[in-house]
Amino acid sequence: MSLLFKGRKSQNERAKKSLFAAGYFFVLNIFRQGVHSLGEMWRTPMASMMTIAVLGLSLTLPATLYLVVKNVQQVSSGFEEAAEISLFIKESMSEQETQTLVKRLALYPEIDNVSFISKQNALTEFKEVSGFGQALEYLDSNPLPDVVIVTPTSRHRQPNAAQALLKKLEAEREVDFGKLDIAWLERLNALLSLLKESVITIALLLLTSVTLIIGNTIRLSIMDKKEEIQVMKLVGATNTFIHAPFLWTGIWYGIVGGLFAFICVALMMWWLGSAVSEVAGVYQTSFNLIGLSITEFGALVLLATSLGFIGSYLSVNRYIKEIEPDKV
C-alpha cells in the first residue's frame, strides 16, 4: 500500500511541476513577443516615431489643461484662505469700546481670528502705499476710521455663510458698516468650474482619438502581415500567440507616447516658468508653476498604456478573426 501511495504522490508532484513549467514558459513567451514587437518598431523608426509623436502631442494638450486648472486652483484656494470681513467702527466709539468689541467678537464660534487696525496706523500705512504722503500732511484731521478685520472659520468662508456672518456683525452697536467683497470670488469659481468641464470634454475627445489612431496603426500592421498570419494559422498557432505581438505593439506605443507627452509638458512648464515669475514680480508677489507629480506622471503613462492596449485589442479582435487560411 505504501508503494501505491508513493506512486500517486510522485505523479501529483510531476503534474504540479509540469503545470508550473507550462505557466512559466507561457509568461516567458509573452515577454519574448513583447521584446520582438519592440524590435519590429525599432526596425521602422520613422513610422514608429511619427505615430508616437502624434500620440504624445494628443496627450500633451489635456495634460497641459489639467495643469492650468491645478495652478488656477492653487491661486483661488489662496484667495479663499484670505477671505476677510472688514468692519468700520463708528467715529463716536472710543478705543476702549473698540477693544471690548474685539474681545467680544473673538468669542464668536464663526470667527477664526480678529485683528484691530487703528485709524492712525491705517493713515500711516496709506501714506506709505499710496505715494501721497506729502499731500496728506496738509489734512486737518485723520479721515480714516478704526477697522476691525475678521477672519471667518473655514466653514463660514463660503459666500452664503460669509454674507450671513456679515449681517450678524453689522448688527453690533459699535459697527458703522461692514465690507465683504466676494462677488469676484464667485465669478472666479464659476470660471474655474467651466474650465474643468471644458478640460474633461477636450480630454475625452483627444483620448478617443488616441485610441482610434493606435487601432488604425495596428490594423495597417495586421493587413501588412496578412499572409504571415494565414501561415501561422495553417501550422496550428493559437489566437493568443498571434494576438500577443500586436497587443504588445499597442502597449509600447502607449508607454513611449506617455513619456513623450510628459517630456513635452515638462519643457512647456519650464519655458513658461520664467514668464510667469516675471508677471508675478510686477504685482510684487511670487508664484511658481506646479508641474506633474510622480503620481500624476505614473497616471499619465498608465493611461497612455491602457489606451494603447484598448486600441490594439479592438483591432486585433476585429481583423485577425477575419483572416483565415482558406480566404485569399
Side-chain angles (χ1 to χ4, degrees), residues 56-71 199 202-203 206-207 258 260-266 268-269 290-292 296-297 300-301 303:
L57 294 176
S58 298
L59 293 170
T60 299
L61 181 56
T64 304
L65 293 176
Y66 167 77
L67 289 180
V68 170
V69 174
K70 184 178 178 180
N71 283 275
V199 168
I202 295 173
L206 290 175
L207 295 182
F260 185 87
F262 174 75
I263 293 173
C264 290
V265 172
M268 190 179 302
M269 298 299 291
I290 301 176
L292 293 174
E296 292 166 339
F297 163 67
L300 176 63
V301 175
L303 176 62

Side-chain angles (χ1 to χ4, degrees), residues 48-161:
S48 299
M49 286 304 301
M50 289 180 65
T51 303
I52 290 170
V54 171
L55 299 180
L57 294 176
S58 298
L59 293 170
T60 299
L61 181 56
T64 304
L65 293 176
Y66 167 77
L67 289 180
V68 170
V69 174
K70 184 178 178 180
N71 283 275
V72 172
Q73 281 181 327
Q74 180 192 11
V75 176
S76 64
S77 63
F79 288 143
E80 289 174 358
E81 289 298 321
E84 294 176 337
I85 298 176
S86 300
L87 300 177
F88 297 91
I89 308 303
K90 296 177 180 178
E91 294 185 6
S92 59
M93 296 293 116
S94 63
E95 184 175 350
Q96 183 178 0
E97 290 174 320
T98 305
Q99 291 294 341
T100 302
L101 172 65
V102 171
K103 293 179 181 179
R104 189 165 68 250
L105 295 179
L107 300 176
Y108 277 42
E110 304 95 335
I111 295 176
D112 185 37
N113 185 44
V114 182
S115 60
F116 171 66
I117 302 177
S118 65
K119 59 176 70 177
Q120 187 59 41
N121 291 337
L123 182 61
T124 302
E125 183 179 352
F126 183 71
K127 287 180 180 179
E128 296 174 355
V129 175
S130 64
F132 296 104
Q134 295 181 352
L136 295 175
E137 295 293 339
Y138 294 97
L139 294 176
D140 297 331
S141 61
N142 186 352
L144 300 178
D146 293 327
V147 180
V148 175
I149 305 298
V150 174
T151 304
T153 59
S154 57
R155 183 180 177 183
H156 292 82
R157 289 177 190 173
Q158 298 300 320
N160 294 334

Side-chain angles (χ1 to χ4, degrees), residues 1-60:
M1 294 293 291
S2 61
L3 293 175
L4 178 61
F5 286 119
K6 184 177 180 180
R8 290 181 178 178
K9 183 177 180 181
S10 61
Q11 289 179 0
N12 291 334
E13 290 178 353
R14 284 196 298 269
K16 289 181 180 178
K17 289 181 179 179
S18 63
L19 183 62
F20 173 78
Y24 170 76
F25 284 111
F26 175 78
V27 174
L28 183 62
N29 183 57
I30 293 295
F31 280 101
R32 282 178 178 174
Q33 289 178 319
V35 175
H36 175 72
S37 64
L38 187 61
E40 288 287 336
M41 293 173 58
W42 182 260
R43 282 187 283 272
T44 56
M46 186 61 65
S48 299
M49 286 304 301
M50 289 180 65
T51 303
I52 290 170
V54 171
L55 299 180
L57 294 176
S58 298
L59 293 170
T60 299

